[in-house]
Amino acid sequence: MTSQPPPSKAAQFKRLLLSDQVEFFCESHNGLSAKIVEEAGFKGIWASGLTIAAQFGVRDNNEASWTQILDHLEFMSDATQIPILLDGDTGYGNFNNMQRLIGKLEQRRIAAVCIEDKCFPKTNSFLQGDAQPMADMDEFCGKLKAGKDAQTDDDFCIIARIEAFICGWGLTEALRRAEAYHRAGADGILIHSALATPDEILAFKREWGARCPVAIVPTKYYATPTDVFRQYGFSLVIWANHLLRAAVTAMQKTAQIVKADEHLLSIEDKIAPVAEIFRLQDAETLRQAEQRYLPHGGDHLTAIVLAASRGDELGDFTKDKPKTMVPIQGIPILSHIVDAYQTAGIKHITVVRGYRKEAVTLPHLTYVDNDDFADTGELASLFCALRNRNGAFHDTIISYGDLLFSKYIPQIMMQEPDDWVIVVDSVWEGKTAYTRLGGFAECTAPNSREAYHASIYLTQLGRDVPPAARHGVWMGLLKVSAGATERLQHLLAEMLADPANKKAGMARLFQELRRRDVSVRVLYTVGHWLDINSVADVVQAERF
Ligand code: SPV
Ligand code: MG
């Protein structure tokens, strides 16, 4: 079943405008306040000319250019999913400017615009309103028509705002204009009043009836009970400037206190914590995207090297140090491993030590000790590393301390989004050096040219996979996503509670994952690794 895309912002707005109940829009003046309005549960935003001008520090007299307003609106629109009704002043010019405006608003997913019948540059309605000239009615009708003709989305709405009461004209003029604007194609009327009582807007609504939806801005008649607006059948109530005014009071108080105190103690617990700002900015989504798209970011990647065992098979090589410290080409195996991880962008590397732990002292690594190494196995060492982890879980690569591999191996593993990823070498027969074998792997498909493009998964892993089922050899590296690393820790705790698993190796983990139907993604490779298990391997490794 395909899910329906959410309705466009314009469609949402139109639905609200035409709904048979009163709807409430709240002012916002930038991306942050728009988000706050949305989170508060409002279904729509009033992009107020007054408050946008004020947050710029300029007057509500078209001092900010219309393109500056547009740029600003884009932030508000990007930050929210609910429709925005722009207070478009007088349309920033004549019919031609209005047409360009509509095009630009639609591009920015602004749902609707309200234009008022005054002259450019306009003045705020509460500043000597009755001294303000009104626009010529016919010219304003032309502007509305031009706007409606310019819109490409049928749902885009144009609200005609009548300033007849503001400019000292009466009800008759208001109704005459409402009728003309309605005929010119306006989707709704905004009737404005600067009185402290709702008398004018109620008189208007009584006469106008339900010929088209009516919006109001109760800034001055704020004491009127909302039920009155409901009873009169208004469509839209706009709280037009209250967030900016709240912010101004809070900012003034805070600035005065900090200036006087010269310290932050009296305000710190009265203001939003920085974490709240990050939340509003959605820093978390970026963090997750960085994990996905910045393979060299490093900070979110970790590696665990299982290096607790002696490596008896190397004889004298490991008398006074564990296998991971045996030198190859002049430096310990562990240095090669660290080098490969660091080149792949993995900065945090944890090494599980056991045998002759004092000999494992390379710098800039985190060490965790499995002092019970002689009587426990790889899973116990891995559990030690996870349990002693510092802080959050990260994408993690787990590998052995005696394994040489090329840096491209961890790189390709980290790029795979799957929770569990292993690398399988499909060409192993005849290579004696690979005899210890992390285990034979049977996969959902053998390695082939097609396998390169397909998603292949592990079906079983171990030494006892029948020869006919073997698609390759597990190289001894496992990538586990951050979320799965947390699950892995719980799984190991569960498994190790069973004494039978005390000495269990990694193959046992894969059996358990299979039993639980956990998919393990397989990446095929050919070569690029070496498992040091004999003196002969040490010699061969000199050429690796
Ligand atoms: C605005 O919010 O900018 C308005 C409403 O236009 S008013 O300030 O009341 O004119
Ligand atoms: Mg305005």
Side-chain angles (χ1 to χ4, degrees), residues 304 306 308 352 368 370 373 376-386:
I304 295 173
L306 303 176
V352 186
V368 168
N370 175 8
F373 67 93
T376 58
E378 291 158 4
L379 295 191
S381 286
L382 178 55
F383 186 59
C384 281
L386 292 175

Side-chain angles (χ1 to χ4, degrees), residues 46-50 60 87-89 116 122 124-125 161:
W46 169 250
S48 156
L50 169 65
D60 187 15
D87 170 10
D89 293 343
E116 62 195 70
K122 48 68 57 93
N124 186 273
S125 304
R161 164 165 161 182

Side-chain angles (χ1 to χ4, degrees), residues 10-31:
Q12 288 179 52
F13 178 85
K14 193 166 211 168
R15 202 176 288 169
L16 293 170
L17 184 70
L18 298 177
S19 87
D20 53 13
Q21 61 186 38
V22 61
E23 305 287 356
F24 300 91
F25 275 32
C26 183
E27 164 264 336
S28 71
H29 46 272
N30 55 25

Side-chain angles (χ1 to χ4, degrees), residues 27 46-52 60 87 89 116 118 122-126 161 163 166 190 192-193 217 219-220 238 240-241:
E27 164 264 336
W46 169 250
S48 156
L50 169 65
T51 65
I52 291 175
D60 187 15
D87 170 10
D89 293 343
E116 62 195 70
K118 290 201 306 223
K122 48 68 57 93
T123 300
N124 186 273
S125 304
F126 300 141
R161 164 165 161 182
E163 292 281 282
I166 298 289
L190 189 158
H192 204 12
S193 167
V217 180
T219 303
K220 293 287 180 182
I238 296 170
N241 46 45

Side-chain angles (χ1 to χ4, degrees), residues 236-254:
L236 222 54
V237 170
I238 296 170
W239 314 122
N241 46 45
H242 302 84
L243 293 198
L244 182 93
R245 287 164 57 194
V248 165
T249 305
M251 288 193 282
Q252 285 170 335
K253 264 194 201 146
T254 306

